[in-house]
Structure formats: structure tokens, C-alpha cells
Amino acid sequence: MTFRLAIVGRPNVGKSTLFNRLVGRKLALVDDQPGVTRDLREGQARLGPLRFTVVDSAGLEDATDDSLQGRMRRLTERAVDEADVCLFLIDARQGVTPTDEIFADILRRKSAHVILAANKSEGRAGESGYLEAFSLGLGEPIRLSGEHGEGMEDLLSVLMPLAEEFEARDAQTAEEAPETDVDLGWFGEETEEDAEAAEDWRPSEKRPLQIAVVGRPNAGKSTLINQILGEERLLTGPEAGITRDAISIPMQWEGTPVRIFDTAGMRKRAKVTDKLEKLSVSDGLRAVRFAEVVVVLLDADIPFEQQDLRIADLAEREGRAVVVAVNKWDLVPDREARLAALKEAFERLLPQLRGAPLVTVSARTGRGLDRLHAAIVKAHEVWNRRVPTAQLNRWLLGMTEAHPPPAPGGRRIRMRYMTQVKARPPAFVIMSTHPEDVPASYERYLVNGLRESFDLKGTPIRVILRDAGAKNPYKGKKGPGGPSALRKHLG
């Protein structure tokens, strides 16, 4: 029993608050100022026994030109066209406005199922606005409070018969569909192949590859994702900072199941003073932590600014596989010289990501997207790679013989054993004597050797040194077997 419900209405009527209430998580940014939401955000909603897809939309503006408000309106109208049910919210405390009347007329013509709700109806302040809602001619409105959760039972009672209607429609469609000649096996019986697949890290429909696209404002992140999708799914334009929410979009990209996160542009912390921008950047940082591969998108005109380096370093510190993409490459003259300069700067400025793929793309024309896809899949494979313990210990012996660890204070450091303890990203433990005395330069020598020897280029590598020194069996003991007896025995 599933259907698609779009929440629409003027700016600041509480659409995102209600969206968060239905999905049970604070996915959408919420603030008192109008126009916070600009893109379409989807989530899986739960309301009583119902499970359905809910879409949070931008506030409907009375604009039809190519301005930002006009583009937002067209995106919302598209959500209305694709939805099974439209939940039209008005602000009960403000009452019905001329803009509400315009959009009520649009919804009557565009959508077969429209539910009218007077949000912010808690208390007596929303009484008059609730009564005014009858004048819109969309039936009896529902009293709601997205913030306090009031009116959810009434919404459920209205949605239930619609859900049953959609379920009957889907059942009829399934009956009319041709039968498959594929053997589906015994339902509920797990095969050995299924068990192996569950342990496989490779992307699947149930566990798609998580990709976050990050970068400075106006680098072209939303345009790039729209080009990958093949449709204008995300709001774009010449204005910097259009994207505010971290929007996740599931899709098939050249046969690979992925979920792509579009994030807000990240400026220097000193320049971020607006509360809403702080929320947007925080939302983007959560997307980075949730992702498996982070695509750092640069502007070809001004690559590797200080903020770009901070963003890439953040992804590395969070332990994510990193792919660097240089956008607007179609506008670059003398591309061979520029590419050589970019690679040199990348190796020099981000040594902790040595070997990470650097791909040139054009989000406007789609050029280079095939290479970007291949680089992301490869980075994800390296991020999940495991190296057998026997190979690691042979490698460690060769590395220490070629370049022995230092002997600070005359104490020789012996590295005795090595194993990989985890992947995603690869992490290794080395049992060593005096691990606290191993200098950072020698740890870098080992990390760089791991990258080269086991093709771990571009992924974060964690090396943990643990004490393997022989313990004094008499330490902490007293009496006949304690230190005094040992000294006496030794004379």
C-alpha cells in the first residue's frame, strides 16, 4: 500500500515541519523565515498503517518568469503533476490570502486528489483561518499542527480510502502485466548465493552506493547532478547558494545503483554568519559523514582555493573515498597545460590524498561523466579493499629492511606483526616495540608504501601502532618472586 503525496503551499506555512513529522526525522531544514526550501525533498512517511512517499516542495510564489521564484514554482508544479495526492497547506493564523486562492484554482485543474489542511491550527489563533479555508472550494479542511502533531488522525482518515483506491489500481495493473518466465525460487528461502550477496560490499538496489557532491557555492553541483539524472530535478541558476538542503536522489547510473546527495555550497567559516546558511552547511557535513564516496567539485577558473582544500581534507578525515572533479572544463583554453598544472597542485597541496582520481567534467554539456562514474566506482572498490595478513607481513619485512625504523635514545624499534583490522577505509594495526617513539615521518613512509604496493591510491589509510614489547614477568610483584629476589639472584 504505497502512493506519492506532495505537500504544497505558500512559503512559511509549515510544509517542511509537517514533512519532518511524517518521516519521523528532521530531514528538511526548518526556520522562521520564508523560502527556506527550494528543491524537492522526498522521504518515506509513516502514518498509522500507511506507508507512502512524501515530497516537500518549495513555497508557491506568484511568479512565472525565469527568476529564482519562477523556477521554484515550476519545480513545485512538476511535483504536483507526479503526485497521487496533493496536501495543500494554508496558514490558519494568517487566513486565506489571494495567493492561496490562485493556487487552489491551479490544484483543482492539475490534481485529481487534493486535501486541504489549515496548518498552525493549535489554540484559538487559527480558528478564523480554518473557517476561511472553506471558501477555497476544496472540501472540508483538516485542522493540523505540524509542529505539535495535532490532526494526524484526521489526515489518516482522509488518506485511508485514497490508499485503498491506489492499492486496487496497482493490483489491477499487476494482473494485466504479462507473466514472467523467470524462476523466482521458493519465496522466503535464502539461497547460498543470497547469503554471499548480503555480505558483498558491491552496490545493490537495497544498498546503493552513497555519493555526496560537495564544493564551494556556484561550482555547479546541482547542474552536475541534473546532467547525471538526465532531467531538471534540482533547482539551478546563476545565483550562488541556491541549494540549501542536502537532497538525496536514488537512481541507476550506468547500471550502478547509487544515491547522490546534492549539498549546499560551503564557504569559509568566517563568512558564514546567517543562521540558515549555518544550518545548510551543517546539513552538507552530515551528508559527507553518511556518504561512501565524496566528489569534491572544483571550478576550473579558480581551482584549489583554501576552502576547496579544507573540504577535501574534511572528507579524508571523515574516512571517505575522495574523487576530485574539475567542472566547467568546456570553457578552459590550453587544456593540456592546465591539466598538468592541476595535477601538480593536487599532489602538492593534498598529499594525504595522493593518487586520488582527478577528473575533468562539464556539468553543462555532460562531457566527462563516463570517466567520473568510472573513477567513483574504482574509488569505492579501493575503499572496501582488504589485504591478506600474509602479504602484509611480507611487505612489512621488506619495508623495514629497506629502511629500518630509527633508534631514538639507542632503543631499537622492532615491528613484529601487521594485520588489517577493517576496511571502509582500510585500517591496519602494526605490533611494534616502543610505538610511541615511531616518528610521524616513518608512519608516512609506511602509508605511502601501502598505497603503492597494494593499489590503495586516493583512499584514506589508517595505521595504528600498538605495543608488542616483552613484559617484565616480575613487574608489580613482591615477596620471594619480586624484584628484590631477582636482584639478589643476580648478585
Side-chain angles (χ1 to χ4, degrees):
M1 186 183 296
T2 182
F3 56 92
R4 190 177 183 87
L5 181 142
I7 305 175
V8 297
R10 289 185 297 106
N12 211 30
V13 296
K15 298 184 296 298
S16 296
T17 303
L18 179 60
F19 173 88
N20 287 340
R21 170 75 58 179
L22 290 173
V23 299
R25 291 183 293 165
K26 292 184 178 179
L27 291 181
L29 295 183
V30 176
D31 197 58
D32 292 335
Q33 60 180 292
V36 172
T37 302
R38 290 175 173 174
D39 287 295
L40 302 179
R41 178 188 281 275
E42 297 183 6
Q44 296 306 309
R46 303 180 64 178
L47 186 60
L50 294 184
R51 303 292 183 269
F52 55 95
T53 300
V54 61
V55 182
D56 184 22
S57 63
L60 285 164
E61 302 271 7
D62 190 11
T64 57
D65 55 8
D66 286 331
S67 64
L68 179 59
Q69 289 74 23
R71 300 197 302 275
M72 290 164 62
R73 172 173 171 167
R74 288 196 291 273
L75 206 58
T76 299
E77 289 178 345
R78 177 183 163 186
V80 171
D81 293 335
E82 295 176 350
D84 296 306
V85 184
C86 286
L87 181 59
F88 182 33
L89 291 192
I90 68 164
D91 188 333
R93 299 188 179 187
Q94 291 186 4
V96 176
T97 67
T99 307
D100 289 326
E101 294 175 349
I102 293 172
F103 295 125
D105 184 59
I106 292 174
L107 289 173
R108 267 194 297 270
R109 289 183 279 107
K110 275 183 169 286
S111 180
H113 301 287
V114 180
I115 300 173
L116 177 61
N119 196 29
K120 307 181 185 179
S121 290
E122 65 273 14
R124 296 183 178 179
E127 185 69 30
S128 62
Y130 168 74
L131 296 175
E132 285 181 22
F134 282 89
S135 65
L136 292 174
L138 292 173
E140 182 179 352
I142 302 173
R143 292 174 180 265
L144 283 183
S145 173
E147 184 174 0
H148 300 287
E150 297 177 7
M152 294 296 110
E153 299 86 355
D154 296 332
L155 179 59
L156 175 61
S157 65
V158 175
L159 286 175
M160 277 299 292
L162 294 175
E164 293 170 359
E165 177 185 334
F166 299 139
E167 186 177 25
R169 178 198 63 188
D170 294 341
Q172 182 179 359
T173 304
E175 288 178 2
E176 295 173 353
E179 293 185 4
T180 176
D181 57 356
V182 178
D183 183 12
L184 299 179
W186 179 256
F187 179 75
E189 181 179 355
E190 185 180 13
T191 64
E192 292 182 3
E193 290 80 9
D194 293 334
E196 291 177 3
E199 297 176 357
D200 199 349
W201 54 264
R202 290 175 178 79
S204 63
E205 293 293 340
K206 291 184 178 180
R207 297 183 60 184
L209 172 54
Q210 311 278 355
I211 304 169
V213 182
V214 300
R216 287 181 287 110
N218 217 26
K221 298 180 292 296
S222 298
T223 305
L224 176 69
I225 295 176
N226 281 341
Q227 188 67 245
I228 294 172
L229 289 168
E231 59 179 346
E232 294 297 317
R233 172 68 172 75
L234 300 170
L235 191 65
T236 61
E239 304 90 348
I242 290 179
T243 303
R244 285 174 171 169
D245 290 85
I247 305 295
S248 68
I249 304 170
M251 63 168 294
Q252 285 275 344
W253 185 11
E254 295 188 12
T256 305
V258 300
R259 181 178 290 275
I260 303 182
F261 289 81
D262 183 25
T263 62
M266 300 180 186
R267 298 195 297 165
K268 293 180 181 179
R269 183 180 298 178
K271 294 184 178 181
V272 179
T273 56
D274 180 64
K275 174 189 173 185
L276 184 56
E277 187 174 357
K278 289 181 180 178
L279 290 173
S280 299
V281 172
S282 177
D283 204 28
L285 295 178
R286 281 196 297 272
V288 170
R289 296 185 182 103
F290 188 70
E292 297 170 308
V293 179
V294 174
V295 177
V296 181
L297 194 64
L298 311 180
D299 189 327
D301 292 333
I302 42 175
F304 294 120
E305 284 201 337
Q306 194 65 34
Q307 186 64 0
D308 295 320
L309 302 178
R310 289 195 181 100
I311 293 170
D313 184 63
L314 166 71
E316 192 277 337
R317 284 188 283 109
E318 289 293 335
R320 303 296 173 250
V322 177
V323 174
V324 177
V326 184
N327 191 23
K328 307 178 185 178
W329 196 247
D330 54 317
L331 305 177
V332 173
D334 195 9
R335 294 173 185 170
E336 290 187 7
R338 178 69 68 87
L339 182 59
L342 285 172
K343 290 181 177 179
E344 185 277 329
F346 182 37
E347 294 287 334
R348 174 170 45 85
L349 297 173
L350 290 168
Q352 67 273 36
L353 291 173
R354 182 173 298 169
L358 188 148
V359 184
T360 57
V361 299
S362 171
R364 185 176 63 86
T365 65
R367 180 179 178 182
L369 292 189
D370 54 341
R371 288 183 282 110
L372 178 61
H373 172 267
I376 290 172
V377 171
K378 174 67 174 178
H380 183 246
E381 185 271 326
V382 172
W383 191 61
N384 283 276
R385 184 167 297 166
R386 287 188 173 274
V387 183
T389 300
Q391 291 185 25
L392 286 173
N393 282 285
R394 285 195 296 269
W395 171 86
L396 181 63
L397 179 63
M399 292 291 285
T400 53
E401 286 180 350
H403 183 45
R411 298 187 303 176
R412 184 178 176 186
I413 296 174
R414 293 184 177 88
M415 295 189 173
R416 296 178 171 172
Y417 180 79
M418 181 178 185
T419 187
Q420 183 174 357
V421 292
K422 66 180 288 290
R424 304 167 65 89
F428 305 88
V429 168
I430 299 177
M431 306 304 292
S432 170
T433 59
H434 314 298
E436 68 281 357
D437 294 331
V438 177
S441 58
Y442 198 82
E443 288 189 40
R444 287 195 297 271
Y445 163 71
L446 295 175
V447 168
N448 291 334
L450 285 168
R451 287 195 196 284
E452 294 297 328
S453 300
F454 300 107
D455 193 19
L456 297 175
K457 298 175 182 176
T459 195
I461 294 177
R462 307 290 187 248
V463 172
I464 305 158
L465 296 170
R466 290 184 180 169
D467 191 1
K471 294 182 180 179
N472 183 356
Y474 297 102
K475 185 177 181 180
K477 292 184 179 181
K478 296 181 179 180
S484 58
L486 177 63
R487 285 194 297 271
K488 183 177 180 181
H489 174 74
L490 296 176

